[in-house]
Amino acid sequence: MKTSKKNLILGAVVAVNVVLSGSFHLIQKNIDHETRGYQVKVAAVEKKIDRLAETSKGDLLAKAKKGSNTEKENAEQYQNEAIATRYTQELFDVLMTFNNSEEYAARSEKLKYMLSPEVLEDKRLFGSDKDNTGQSAIDVLQLRSRFESIQSYCFSEGDEQVTVLSEVRFSASKADYQAGRNIVVYLSKFDTAKKQFTEVNKLGKLDVKVD
């Protein structure tokens, strides 16, 4: 009976580790061809940011709205990407932060206004931490997770979709063990008309260090 219960808890731990992204382990996952294409775009975006570093984005937006159709389209694109960036930070702040089973389970309710039904049903993001007896692996093992920061790059894909490539930093701990610090890469699709994410996919981990 004890062995069976241990196995049930172990199964729940595995489900939780999907969200914790394998804390305490140094893992490098292969990034597919599509992601490498976005890395090239990221480099181009960073160069553009450097050129505009001394210019107020608010001034640029105001001028663009008064300009040609192309400039107005650019202004709208900038606004959509700014909204997507803000929503992305809010998403991962909630997704990666919990101190107990109750907070872990409440994440989907907090985020439902910005996620499509398909994303809300994604077990990779919102899998149960309970075993068959209803016992919580998060509470039993005292698992904790805390969002730290995010770096996002946006690419407009048509009139109503923004693709967001994000490096998400968070720390996770178990009981009295020191927190492992993680950097995980996500690729998300944001519908600017509905103000919702239609896809949230983890691409892989970059590195881990222990404080």
Side-chain angles (χ1 to χ4, degrees), residues 24-38:
F24 315 115
H25 295 282
L26 178 59
I27 301 173
Q28 178 63 53
K29 291 192 175 181
N30 294 327
I31 296 178
D32 58 22
H33 177 72
E34 178 185 7
T35 305
R36 288 194 293 271
Y38 283 113

Side-chain angles (χ1 to χ4, degrees), residues 164-210:
V164 188
L165 183 66
S166 304
E167 291 183 8
V168 182
R169 297 171 183 263
F170 71 100
S171 59
S173 62
K174 184 178 81 169
D176 294 329
Y177 288 96
Q178 291 180 307
R181 188 164 292 165
N182 303 263
I183 303 176
V184 183
V185 179
Y186 280 85
L187 188 66
S188 308
K189 305 284 187 181
F190 184 74
D191 186 320
T192 60
K194 296 180 179 180
K195 300 293 190 296
Q196 286 187 335
F197 288 96
T198 57
E199 294 182 27
V200 179
N201 297 307
K202 187 179 77 172
L203 299 180
K205 287 180 62 176
L206 296 183
D207 70 9
V208 176
K209 70 177 182 178
V210 178

Side-chain angles (χ1 to χ4, degrees), residues 98 100-110 126 129-130 138:
F98 55 86
N100 53 51
S101 179
E102 183 178 357
E103 292 180 4
Y104 175 84
R107 297 172 308 140
S108 59
E109 182 66 24
K110 291 180 179 179
F126 301 107
D129 70 312
K130 304 293 179 62
I138 289 177

Side-chain angles (χ1 to χ4, degrees), residues 109-120:
E109 182 66 24
K110 291 180 179 179
L111 293 170
K112 68 179 183 180
Y113 73 96
M114 69 164 67
L115 301 178
S116 69
E118 292 77 14
V119 175
L120 281 170

Side-chain angles (χ1 to χ4, degrees), residues 75-107:
E76 184 177 355
Q77 177 179 316
Y78 171 78
Q79 286 182 314
N80 287 338
E81 292 181 358
I83 293 171
T85 298
R86 177 168 58 83
Y87 271 61
T88 302
Q89 174 149 350
E90 293 175 6
L91 167 66
F92 287 105
D93 189 0
V94 174
L95 195 63
M96 297 298 186
T97 301
F98 55 86
N99 294 298
N100 53 51
S101 179
E102 183 178 357
E103 292 180 4
Y104 175 84
R107 297 172 308 140

